[in-house]
Amino acid sequence: MNFKNSISLFALTLLVGQSSLLALTMASPVQAATKMTKAKTDNAVKASKATGAPSAPVIPAAGELSVETIKASMPLEVWRKDAPKVPAPRPFVMPRVQTYTMGNGLTVQMVEDHRFPFLTMALGFHSGSTSVPGDLIGLGSMTATLLTEGTTTRSSKEIANEIDFIGGSLAANSDFDFTTVSGSALSDYGDRLIKLMSDVVLNPNFPQDELALQKTNLIQELTMMRSNPDFLVGERFSKVLFGAHPYSIVAPNETSINRISQKDLIDYHARTYIPNNAIMVVVGDFNTDKMKEKLSQNFGSQWKQGKVDTLSLPAPPTQEGRKIYLVDRPGSVQTSIKVGNVGVQRKDPDYFPLMVMNQILGGAANARLFMNIREQKGYTYGAYSRMSARQEKGSFSAEANVRTEVTGPSLQEFIYELDRMRNTRVSDVELNSAKNFLAGSFQLGLETQSGLVQRLLEAKLYNLPDDYLATYADKVMAVKVDDVRTAARRLIDANNLVITAVGDAKKIKGELEMFAPVTVFDTQGKLSNSN
């Protein structure tokens, strides 16, 4: 095609476009926009065919298309009306677990996993903050933190350099019931990981300078936490719920931190970090016979047995009637609310129905609390519930941060949803959604080495049945509608509810008094003059 023909074609295209525009002015706005876009596209295609050049996509100008226009131009997709069907959880095939006990009492579980050249291991102890003397609160967590800060043969820097060199990780932490030391590395460096973990567990020296630094850091962290309403509401909730039980302490105070000495750390370590108080789990790319030999060399005869303490812990107090415990935070623009009761032990026979019940009530963004208090009422960004099952009876709670002006209505909705869970049957849709999520997420977590190590260690520390992992999904899927209501009536004691709140007492105390008597505390945990 020559240049003259190209000019004529361009003029013709322009003329056709103008004629189409005049015709479109007589149509409705929606029809006009649709026809205009179609005309542009048709003209572009004609020009492309005439010139032999590929056609460029035609992008409508702003304002040419509306939502109605787009919907009208789309074919009817009937399949969108029905949500995709969730298949039943796949049967879980438990990998072969080799379990044995060393001569010093250390229980060991091993799982060979050759999919990746990687190794993950963890050592769990049946000791946590419940094993700590009452005047040394924080001793358990500080001992765990300082394990990796120096041994009789390595400094803190040398430990960190070794971890970096093998491209691995090493960490220790302590909670209410247990202490865990965990590590990972490429399988080629498995021997070095085992030696390093053995060193920090068996030979820590708790250097004075590291202890002083840890104390300073922890005191600063506590100061920051006391400005956080979520910390304050959780602290008050635990104190009321558990009373003299060690579960009531969510953080130490400055006095107890400063009281901890190097000797206290050494004594606590010698008393609790003993092989007959521990379980070792190893998962990864290794040979079982060689691994047994390595573990024996590093955690065997040189690690001596000790006497395992028998704990005698006080029972949580009995709650009589609804009571509200308010932490006054002047100037706060929101109220943090937490309500609940004493929960259950991890090995409770009703654990699975209780877990499904909690998932339906407030376990996710499609649960009842979220859909009511956020989606329908708009009082909060999120409302959830949680069941914390521990070695002893844990807690059940529901919580949200709401705007100050809707404190009363929000608490009303919490109580309404708790009562509804106790007194009405959940729907089949709610039940199946909760079960599928719980079973699926549990199995998904077992796909990683760290996830499998965590679950195997959990089963042993809580003395759960040997088939716990293999039957987990089946037990979740076996929960029925009536099981959920029975579980709710057992766990939720709506008439003897512990209610805690953090907010501006001048603005919200009057509203809260409509629900129950209110006791006011300051942010340091002391009774306020506002009572």
Side-chain angles (χ1 to χ4, degrees):
M1 180 180 293
N2 58 32
F3 179 75
K4 183 182 295 185
N5 291 338
S6 297
I7 294 293
S8 300
L9 178 59
F10 175 78
L12 178 61
T13 302
L14 181 61
L15 180 61
V16 171
Q18 290 174 339
S19 300
S20 300
L21 181 61
L22 290 173
L24 288 172
T25 57
M26 303 299 294
S28 67
V30 172
Q31 292 172 329
T34 304
K35 291 180 179 179
M36 183 181 294
T37 302
K38 185 176 185 303
K40 287 182 178 180
T41 304
D42 290 345
N43 292 338
V45 171
K46 290 177 182 178
S48 172
K49 289 180 179 179
T51 61
S55 60
V58 177
I59 302 175
E64 285 187 358
L65 294 180
S66 65
V67 175
E68 291 77 10
T69 304
I70 296 171
K71 287 182 177 180
S73 65
M74 293 176 61
L76 182 62
E77 295 175 323
V78 180
W79 59 270
R80 290 186 182 274
K81 294 182 178 180
D82 299 319
K85 296 187 182 301
V86 180
R90 293 179 301 169
F92 174 66
V93 179
M94 184 67 189
R96 183 168 178 261
V97 181
Q98 295 205 36
T99 304
Y100 69 100
T101 302
M102 290 188 182
N104 59 5
L106 175 64
T107 299
V108 180
Q109 287 195 320
M110 296 189 296
V111 177
E112 289 191 32
D113 178 7
H114 300 289
R115 293 176 299 171
F116 313 103
F118 206 69
L119 175 71
T120 303
M121 58 192 302
L123 190 60
F125 296 90
H126 289 279
S127 298
S129 63
T130 54
S131 306
V132 172
D135 60 341
L136 294 174
I137 296 169
L139 177 61
S141 59
M142 190 171 292
T143 302
T145 299
L146 292 176
L147 280 182
T148 58
E149 298 301 334
T151 70
T152 55
T153 60
R154 289 183 174 94
S155 67
S156 174
K157 184 177 181 180
E158 289 173 331
I159 293 172
N161 288 340
E162 178 71 357
I163 295 170
D164 287 343
F165 181 83
I166 66 176
S169 66
L170 182 64
N173 64 80
S174 183
D175 60 17
F176 287 109
D177 298 314
F178 311 119
T179 297
T180 58
V181 183
S182 58
S184 62
L186 292 170
S187 50
D188 285 347
Y189 294 108
D191 292 354
R192 296 178 71 159
L193 173 65
I194 294 170
K195 289 179 181 179
L196 184 60
M197 181 179 285
S198 172
D199 193 23
V200 301
V201 171
L202 275 61
N203 308 310
N205 63 348
F206 306 110
Q208 285 283 10
D209 56 340
E210 297 291 349
L211 173 58
L213 178 61
Q214 177 62 19
K215 286 183 177 182
T216 300
N217 291 341
L218 187 53
I219 290 171
Q220 290 176 347
E221 289 175 12
L222 287 172
T223 301
M224 294 178 62
M225 285 193 293
R226 294 223 155 266
S227 66
N228 186 332
D230 290 336
F231 170 80
L232 294 174
V233 76
E235 178 188 54
R236 181 51 46 192
F237 181 80
S238 295
K239 284 184 179 296
V240 173
L241 199 65
F242 293 110
H245 193 285
Y247 286 172
S248 67
I249 307 297
V250 299
N253 55 44
E254 185 172 347
T255 301
S256 64
I257 292 172
N258 285 325
R259 187 180 289 126
I260 296 173
S261 68
Q262 184 185 51
K263 183 178 183 303
D264 293 325
L265 295 168
I266 294 172
D267 291 345
Y268 179 77
H269 174 266
R271 179 167 58 87
T272 59
Y273 285 70
I274 52 179
N276 49 318
N277 189 42
I279 295 102
M280 170 78 79
V281 178
V282 187
V283 176
D285 182 27
F286 59 83
N287 175 274
T288 296
D289 293 333
K290 291 182 179 179
M291 179 57 68
K292 284 184 177 181
E293 183 180 348
K294 292 297 180 183
L295 293 179
S296 178
Q297 291 172 358
N298 291 276
F299 293 94
S301 58
Q302 72 272 39
W303 196 11
K304 304 300 182 183
Q305 286 192 10
K307 180 182 178 182
V308 179
D309 292 339
T310 301
L311 300 178
S312 179
L313 303 175
T318 301
Q319 304 296 332
E320 296 183 0
R322 290 180 186 166
K323 296 177 183 177
I324 298 177
Y325 303 86
L326 170 61
V327 178
D328 184 17
R329 190 168 179 265
S332 181
V333 297
Q334 66 179 14
T335 302
S336 297
I337 300 174
K338 188 166 188 173
V339 303
N341 303 110
V342 172
V344 298
Q345 293 176 283
R346 179 60 187 82
K347 59 184 179 181
D348 191 286
D350 291 334
Y351 176 77
F352 290 97
L354 289 167
M355 189 169 54
V356 173
M357 182 278 298
N358 177 73
Q359 185 66 24
I360 295 171
L361 174 64
N366 65 339
R368 290 183 174 185
L369 288 172
F370 192 97
M371 296 303 294
N372 178 345
I373 302 177
R374 172 183 165 140
E375 294 298 310
Q376 295 179 18
K377 301 297 190 302
Y379 294 159
T380 180
Y381 284 113
Y384 300 94
S385 64
R386 182 184 180 194
M387 188 183 73
S388 177
R390 302 171 183 160
Q391 189 76 352
E392 301 280 323
K393 288 184 177 180
S395 64
F396 162 75
S397 61
E399 58 190 308
N401 295 320
V402 304
R403 303 193 313 276
T404 296
E405 61 270 21
V406 294
T407 297
S410 298
L411 180 55
Q412 179 64 56
E413 295 305 321
F414 269 112
I415 295 173
Y416 165 75
E417 290 296 350
L418 294 177
D419 283 335
R420 186 161 76 101
M421 183 58 70
R422 282 176 48 88
N423 299 322
T424 63
R425 292 163 58 97
V426 299
S427 68
D428 290 337
V429 172
E430 289 177 308
L431 179 66
N432 292 331
S433 175
K435 294 195 300 185
N436 285 327
F437 174 82
L438 291 171
S441 59
F442 181 84
Q443 291 184 346
L444 187 62
L446 297 176
E447 293 295 324
T448 65
Q449 286 186 8
S450 59
L452 182 57
V453 166
Q454 177 187 349
R455 292 301 188 180
L456 286 170
L457 193 61
E458 173 186 305
K460 278 296 182 182
L461 289 173
Y462 283 114
N463 297 314
L464 300 174
D466 292 338
D467 64 350
Y468 166 71
L469 297 185
T471 61
Y472 185 98
D474 293 338
K475 289 179 179 178
V476 169
M477 299 306 293
V479 175
K480 307 297 182 186
V481 169
D482 288 338
D483 298 332
V484 173
R485 185 164 61 171
T486 300
R489 289 181 173 180
R490 179 187 169 193
L491 189 62
I492 303 172
D493 187 358
N495 293 324
N496 300 296
L497 201 63
V498 171
I499 303 172
T500 55
V502 176
D504 192 330
K506 291 182 179 179
K507 296 180 180 179
I508 64 176
K509 183 182 178 184
E511 273 192 90
L512 294 175
E513 286 175 333
M514 298 176 62
F515 297 89
V518 177
T519 303
V520 184
F521 298 83
D522 63 21
T523 56
Q524 300 303 312
K526 299 178 181 179
L527 283 172
S528 171
N529 295 328
S530 302
N531 290 294

